[in-house]
């Protein structure tokens, strides 16, 4: 099962480890494990290139993968945090190929630029599983993809807004909207932006004043919202393409002496639905959040085990998602929320 050999390990250490940013880490460990023994022969070695730690969602996603791919479950996880840089992901994938891992798992930061490295993985016979975000790479370069339908999330947000405005008697009013986008070129940004735009096309009275990236971080969201508030006098709706940017936007809205949420000056929509966002909604700061489910670890573990058993998997595996708004029983929802 495992192709992880001492010779290759030594070769990899000699050629790549001096001065390189990625060390070999076991699930749940942060220390460099270059001096540690090799994993047991019967474990399935999985190299996972994660985007980074830019958001609460991302952290929950990392925990989910680490919790599912444990030695007790038969895995040996090599985790690499790319710190939101595609070049780091490319390096990590090439290091996984050098290490002859059994499976490569990638959460691709952006959609483009993967063909060459995925071809290298394919040539070396290592199956690649994509998680979370999608790529435009030819489908034969990876085994399957497990993640969220980001376009559906964006459409859900647009439809929710249309219903809400109608209920508020504002269905025909001019609605001035700004969007704080995620990392440009990521399928999360592309899908949510396009999905929302699809619904917007049916509402001539909706006016998108500006869209700017906050790179999925709280600091980014705060900065972009500050610029929007300085530039536009009347903003009716802020669409934040993730919760952490929404937290930053809320700070800027308050700093400008304004309020947001169901009883506020600005309608605030967000994506992810992490615990802190539901708490902010309960506190009256957010109108609605459109879930992006980070709990992909068990699906990933199941997919690897199925491949080991020789099964053929569905190419695309969507994870279930919903939405939450301020009219719901958030108290009860929070009691059972896993992230
Ligand atoms: O790809 C999922 C997105 O990435 C989440 O919405 C965001 O919080 C994360 O950084």
């Amino acid at each position: 099962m495992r192709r992880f050999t001492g010779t290759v390990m030594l070769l990899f250490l000699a050629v790549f480890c001096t001065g390189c940013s990625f060390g070999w880490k076991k699930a749940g460990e942060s220390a460099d494990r270059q001096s540690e023994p090799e994993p047991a022969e019967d474990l399935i070695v999985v190299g996972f290139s994660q985007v980074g730690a830019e958001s609460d969602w991302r952290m929950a996603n990392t925990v989910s993968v680490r919790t599912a791919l444990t030695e007790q479950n038969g895995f040996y996880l090599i985790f690499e945090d790319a710190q939101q840089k595609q070049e780091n992901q490319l390096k990590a994938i090439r290091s996984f190929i050098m290490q002859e891992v059994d499976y490569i798992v990638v959460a691709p930061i952006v959609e483009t630029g993967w063909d060459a490295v995925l071809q290298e993985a394919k040539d070396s016979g290592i199956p690649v599983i994509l998680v979370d975000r999608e790529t435009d790479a030819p489908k034969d370069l990876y085994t399957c993809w497990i993640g969220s339908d980001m376009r559906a999330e964006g459409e859900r947000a647009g439809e929710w807004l249309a219903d809400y405005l109608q209920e508020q008697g504002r269905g025909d009013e001019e609605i001035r909207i700004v969007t704080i986008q995620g990392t440009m070129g990521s399928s999360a940004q592309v899908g949510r932006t396009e999905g929302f735009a699809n619904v917007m096309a049916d509402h001539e009275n909706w006016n998108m004043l500006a869209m700017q990236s906050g790179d999925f971080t709280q600091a980014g969201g705060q900065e972009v919202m500050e610029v929007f508030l300085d530039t536009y006098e009347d903003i009716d709706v802020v669409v934040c393409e993730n919760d952490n940017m929404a937290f930053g936007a809320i700070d800027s809205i308050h700093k400008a002496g304004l309020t947001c949420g169901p009883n506020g000056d600005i309608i605030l929509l967000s994506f992810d639905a992490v615990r802190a966002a539901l708490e902010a909604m309960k506190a009256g700061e957010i109108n609605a959040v459109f879930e992006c489910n980070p709990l992909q670890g068990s699906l990933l573990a199941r997919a690897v085990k199925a491949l080991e058993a020789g099964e053929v998997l569905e190419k695309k595996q969507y994870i279930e998602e919903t939405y939450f708004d301020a009219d719901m029983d958030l108290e009860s929802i929070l009691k059972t929320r896993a992230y």
Side-chain angles (χ1 to χ4, degrees), residues 241-316:
E241 287 185 353
N242 87 342
D243 286 339
N244 288 77
M245 296 193 298
F247 305 148
I250 292 169
D251 289 344
S252 292
I253 290 169
H254 289 168
K255 216 170 124 201
L258 296 167
T259 55
C260 48
N263 299 313
D265 306 309
I266 298 174
I267 296 169
L268 199 143
L269 308 184
S270 182
F271 293 87
D272 285 355
V274 297
R275 172 168 285 280
L278 295 179
E279 274 159 3
M281 188 156 39
K282 195 166 151 252
E285 305 282 7
I286 297 179
N287 293 72
V289 267
F290 303 90
E291 188 181 42
C292 182
N293 189 341
L295 305 181
Q296 297 163 359
S298 55
L299 295 178
L300 173 61
R302 208 181 308 148
V304 173
K305 292 274 171 92
L307 290 171
E308 287 289 302
E311 287 175 36
V312 178
L313 299 179
E314 289 272 326
K315 198 80 189 182
K316 277 187 149 195

Side-chain angles (χ1 to χ4, degrees), residues 99-166:
Q99 292 172 78
E100 299 184 345
V101 299
D102 295 317
Y103 292 86
I104 294 174
V105 177
V106 188
I109 180 157
V110 288
E111 291 184 340
T112 56
W114 302 97
D115 298 18
V117 79
L118 294 185
Q119 185 65 57
E120 289 166 36
K122 187 176 181 187
D123 293 345
S124 62
I126 303 175
V128 172
I129 299 178
L130 302 176
V131 290
D132 167 27
R133 300 180 187 170
E134 298 188 62
T135 77
D136 65 358
K139 293 196 171 25
D140 66 304
L141 296 186
Y142 56 93
T143 305
C144 67
W145 168 87
I146 300 165
S148 303
D149 188 339
M150 310 290 187
R151 193 162 286 96
E153 291 174 10
E155 282 171 356
R156 208 168 285 137
E159 280 153 13
W160 185 92
L161 180 63
D163 290 347
Y164 181 74
L165 291 170
Q166 198 62 41

Side-chain angles (χ1 to χ4, degrees), residues 27-28 60-73 77 297-298:
N61 182 247
T62 294
V63 169
S64 170
V65 172
R66 282 189 185 281
T67 307
L69 272 61
T70 58
E71 293 194 10
Q72 293 90 315
N73 290 342
L77 177 65
S298 55

